[in-house]
Amino acid sequence: MPSELIVAQAEALIVAAAQQRHPDLDLRPGTPQHDLLVGPNLLVTAAVSAQVQEAETKRTALNWSELSDEEVDAAAGRYFTIRAQGASATGSLRLKFKAPTAVTLGSADAITQGGVKYHVAGAISVDGEQLTRDAVMGFYYTDVVIIADAPGLAANTAAGSAFGVEPLASDAQFLGAVAVTAIAGGRDTESNEALYKRSRKGLYV
C-alpha cells in the first residue's frame, strides 16, 4: 500500500477517534486543534509507513526471482518503469510453382521455419494468371507478407531461408517457399530479471 494512502487512512482514524470523545472539536486541517492533536501522530505514522515501504522494497529486491510477472511489474512500477513488450517478426515470403496455379492461404494456415510458426498477414487468393514468371529460372511465383505467430527473437531469419507451407505441401506444382527479405523485427518480451534490474538501475542514475 502506498505510504500516502496509509497516512491518509491514519489521519481519518485519528480524527474519528478524537471526535468521538470531543464531538465539538474542529479538527479540520490547518486548525490549531488539528496541528496539536493530529499532526504529531501523523509524523509518527508517516515514519513507520516509510519504514514499511523500505522493508517491502528490500524484500522484493531479494526475492524478485520468486515473484510472478504481475508482482515484478508492480515492483518496477514503483520506479516508474514499464516492461518492454515483445514484437513479432515479419517479412516477405516467395511462393514458387512449376506452372501457373491458383493459390489460397488464410491466416490460420501454418507456415513454419526452424520450428517457429508464422501466418500470412492477410488472407490471399490469386489465380494462375496473377503469378509472376521468373525470366531466368522459369518458375512462377507470388510474394506474401508473413508474421510470426508469437513475439520473440527466435522468429528472425535471413533472406533466402526456406519455409514450409502446410496447405501447399501436397500441391504437385508447388516448388517451395523462401524468404525474399529478412524476416525481422522479432523481439523478446523483457524478462523479470531484466525488468527488475533496469528499474533498480534507473533509481540511481
Side-chain angles (χ1 to χ4, degrees):
M1 180 182 294
S3 57
E4 296 83 357
L5 182 57
I6 294 175
V7 172
Q9 291 180 343
E11 180 176 11
L13 290 172
I14 293 168
V15 169
Q19 288 183 330
Q20 278 186 346
R21 289 175 171 268
H22 306 286
D24 297 329
L25 276 179
D26 183 359
L27 294 175
R28 291 174 299 172
T31 62
Q33 294 92 328
H34 183 281
D35 293 344
L36 288 171
L37 295 176
V38 180
N41 289 292
L42 288 183
L43 290 175
V44 174
T45 301
V48 171
S49 175
Q51 291 176 353
V52 170
Q53 191 77 14
E54 182 180 0
E56 176 62 19
T57 299
K58 288 180 178 178
R59 183 194 70 80
T60 302
L62 291 172
N63 302 302
W64 66 263
S65 60
E66 300 174 6
L67 303 181
S68 66
D69 289 356
E70 292 76 14
E71 289 172 324
V72 174
D73 284 336
R78 295 175 191 163
Y79 309 117
F80 309 101
T81 306
I82 299 174
R83 187 189 300 272
Q85 296 301 309
S88 294
T90 185
S92 184
L93 186 69
R94 177 160 295 175
L95 309 176
K96 301 189 294 184
F97 300 86
K98 297 176 185 177
T101 186
V103 183
T104 300
L105 284 177
S107 57
D109 291 326
I111 299 172
T112 59
Q113 201 280 328
V116 179
K117 293 184 177 181
Y118 306 77
H119 58 274
V120 290
I124 65 162
S125 181
V126 297
D127 59 37
E129 294 179 356
Q130 293 174 294
L131 299 185
T132 302
R133 183 176 184 274
D134 186 293
V136 177
M137 303 302 295
F139 61 80
Y140 294 79
Y141 69 88
T142 186
D143 295 339
V144 297
V145 176
I146 61 170
I147 303 172
D149 285 4
L153 285 169
N156 294 336
T157 189
S161 299
F163 282 71
V165 184
E166 187 174 300
L168 300 177
S170 59
D171 188 330
Q173 299 300 325
F174 183 56
L175 292 172
V178 296
V180 181
T181 65
I183 309 301
R187 183 177 67 247
D188 292 334
T189 297
E190 190 172 22
S191 68
N192 284 347
E193 179 180 8
L195 171 61
Y196 196 77
K197 287 183 176 180
R198 182 165 63 85
S199 67
R200 294 289 291 173
K201 180 180 178 181
L203 184 66
Y204 299 110
V205 170

